[in-house]
Amino acid sequence: MPKEFVSAQEVAEKAGVSRSAVSRAFTPGASVSAETRRRILAAAEELGYHVNHLARGLMRNETGIVCLVVSEVATPYRSVLLRALTQQLQSAGKVAMLINTDRTDGSVDRALQQAIRYRADASIIMSGMPDKSIVQLCLRSGQRLVLINRDDDQPGPLRINLDDEECGARIATAFVRAGCKRLAFANSEAGTPSLMGRERGFQMAAKRLGLDVVVKRYGQTGYEAGRVLAQRLLTLPDRPDAVFCATDLIACGFMDAARHQFRIAIPDELCVAGFDDIEQAAWSSYELTTFSQPVTEIAEKAIKWLMEDAPEGEMSTGVRLHADLVWRGTVRGA
Amino acid sequence: MPKEFVSAQEVAEKAGVSRSAVSRAFTPGASVSAETRRRILAAAEELGYHVNHLARGLMRNETGIVCLVVSEVATPYRSVLLRALTQQLQSAGKVAMLINTDRTDGSVDRALQQAIRYRADASIIMSGMPDKSIVQLCLRSGQRLVLINRDDDQPGPLRINLDDEECGARIATAFVRAGCKRLAFANSEAGTPSLMGRERGFQMAAKRLGLDVVVKRYGQTGYEAGRVLAQRLLTLPDRPDAVFCATDLIACGFMDAARHQFRIAIPDELCVAGFDDIEQAAWSSYELTTFSQPVTEIAEKAIKWLMEDAPEGEMSTGVRLHADLVWRGTVRGA
DNA sequence: TTGTATGCGTTATCAA
DNA sequence: TTGATAACGCATACAA
């Protein structure tokens, strides 16, 4: 039980070489003869030796650790993004350290401190916003930072965002083309830049098309919020005939309330659209028209950037990706 | 940009003390005077110093890292379990390293090798089964292992399982009490011990009650499998009037097909039950009667065990937790 | 190609 | 309570 891990020293002795030889045998591109290398690997295999990445990180100033900072991992969209990131991280030879944050103050800051303690090569932030000072500290320490869907203007980190405003505009046009007159936007109170961007784009496009939008905001971005928002929007004297929901989860809650509680037919009496394209959006109980988050592309951009030698290109200022509109059954006249 | 992390040495110089003093200031329970400690912490704060956990782990033979080995993170049940584990890990002062596995051969083994390379204090396996030899290696290295929902009999790791067979029996009884005569079980081809346990318990209890069970297995444990299984079961000459689905996702797919494609009323013409109690099971489009995975309890047991000083109690042989039956609307006569 | 010597940032031991 | 010194396991500059 209290037996320790086997070290390079033991392998060296068993293979009858020096420990530097062992080190070289496990370093790609190092200068070792084929025969020595073979003997060392055999000894290592037999002893169950595995390079200590902590010690290696100490020497190389590169740990291979990438911190993933995220709240609400259990949410469909978040977990899909998490999967894409960890998978691509692994393919790139890195390893993911997962840090859960909550809505409390300083939660993200504490996560980044953890990243620093483990000397992570980079951190990818999917929730919340870190304090400027800690961002500066990370940057000074040579750690790379990626912010996903958190609009921010301080230079240094790579910022990956979507064309949220444009999406809002596109779905507004689609609603109008479907003959809808009374537009509504069902948002959460979270007020993150992406959510507000969708709201803004939707509202402005509607105004351009000569329509007003009634906006309600409630709770978080989940199913329950959708139910409550349905309650508030569908009891209005001038009931909306088209609703753009800030997330798919909100849309699901909204649709369930609309159908089962208000007996409203979708899309005949009410058009609905969401955002994220979570798995449930494709389920036949919903068949939700929605915008798809380009998760794979997001993960690619993030990891490519943090693997680069000199990330000081113009890319580091931020990239804006396109979210495709996925036509399903909740908006008339595809 | 190429500026390095700040070390204890720099803090020591700034505070006018030795680096051992700095080390002690950051070690709970070490012997430092209040005044010295204050000065050191002030200097550290100003310089942005954070203890290097890699170096600390090297000395202490304890890294604080716990590896989470899992496939299909993006699945509702898995992501909820993942959240519970990471949260409780963090509360316990540990940090989670997430390793994604797939169905390919040796995937879990490679994950555990990664755990060894980073000298993880423990690994928690939620998917697949590692090879005996690598399990032995982990154990010999002093690494603790937890297997969640993977039945296995080799001693050493803590094994956490549910009372799957008993759940199968309980829902069989409920179906019979609801007046159902033609029982079916919708399983995946994955054939994991937990899935097979549910099938076995269901089947045996039905036999005791004088009924046969028609079993179909297809695909993985997701929504699509449920749709296909509905196709196969609901077109049978002697159509089932009660189906126990191995997972909630299968149940959702099954119900959607039953309702929208076969126009079958649930629960009037068909009773359905699932397993996991994922969030969607509570959505009003499903209101699925199901068994709830005691995720919090699972995480508690796992983390308590791997934090213990001497885990050599009888607990290490394995624990079996109880899954509650959550009554909703898809089984008649609650 | 190989071995020797040195350093990475920390904690533990010991003497003061 | 404090400081000097020796590890921890590894990678690399340098000499052979």
Side-chain angles (χ1 to χ4, degrees), chain B residues 7-8 23 49 52 55-56 59:
Chain B
S7 76
S23 180
Y49 168 76
N52 185 334
R56 169 179 280 184
M59 274 305 296

Side-chain angles (χ1 to χ4, degrees), chain B residues 246-300:
Chain B
T247 69
D248 280 359
L249 283 178
I250 292 181
C252 287
F254 197 98
M255 288 175 70
D256 275 351
R259 280 174 173 155
H260 306 138
Q261 190 175 340
F262 294 94
R263 308 264 154 223
I264 295 175
I266 299 172
D268 307 304
E269 306 173 79
L270 176 70
C271 287
V272 178
F275 203 107
D276 288 342
D277 194 24
I278 63 177
E279 195 201 323
Q280 288 74 24
W283 288 7
S284 66
S285 282
Y286 300 99
E287 295 193 331
L288 179 64
T289 293
T290 186
F291 291 92
S292 93
Q293 288 262 8
V295 269
T296 313
E297 229 184 310
I298 293 175
E300 266 172 16

Side-chain angles (χ1 to χ4, degrees), chain A residues 17-18 20-21 24 31-33 36 59:
Chain A
V17 294
S18 70
S20 18
R24 280 191 284 262
S31 139
V32 206
S33 78
T36 310
M59 275 301 298

Side-chain angles (χ1 to χ4, degrees), chain A residues 305 308 310-318:
Chain A
W305 182 76
E308 268 173 17
E312 285 311 299
E314 52 193 335
M315 261 194 68
S316 83
T317 77

Side-chain angles (χ1 to χ4, degrees), chain A residues 14 50 66 104 115 135 152 158 169 185 189 252-253 276 286 294 315:
Chain A
K14 180 161 196 108
H50 291 272
V66 174
T104 66
V135 167
D152 183 40
L158 170 65
F185 189 82
E189 289 173 320
C252 287
D276 287 342
Y286 300 100
M315 261 194 68

Side-chain angles (χ1 to χ4, degrees), chain A residues 61-69 85 89 92 94-99 111-126 134-135 137-139 141-147 156-158 299 301-308 311, chain B residues 1 5 54 97 118:
Chain A
N61 257 340
E62 183 177 350
T63 58
I65 296 176
V66 174
C67 262
L68 267 29
V69 180
L85 285 170
L89 237 28
K94 300 281 185 180
V95 62
M97 182 163 271
L98 181 59
I99 304 192
L112 283 181
Q113 289 175 5
Q114 193 77 308
I116 292 179
R117 286 193 210 100
Y118 282 95
R119 299 305 190 253
D121 297 338
S123 293
I124 302 181
I125 299 175
M126 309 185 239
I134 201 112
V135 167
L137 178 56
C138 286
L139 262 29
S141 307
Q143 193 176 110
R144 298 208 181 159
L145 245 43
V146 179
L147 305 176
L158 170 65
K301 284 267 191 268
I303 282 142
K304 186 179 153 228
W305 182 76
L306 57 84
M307 298 291 293
E308 268 173 17
Chain B
M1 165 60 66
F5 291 90
L54 272 55
M97 182 163 270
Y118 282 96

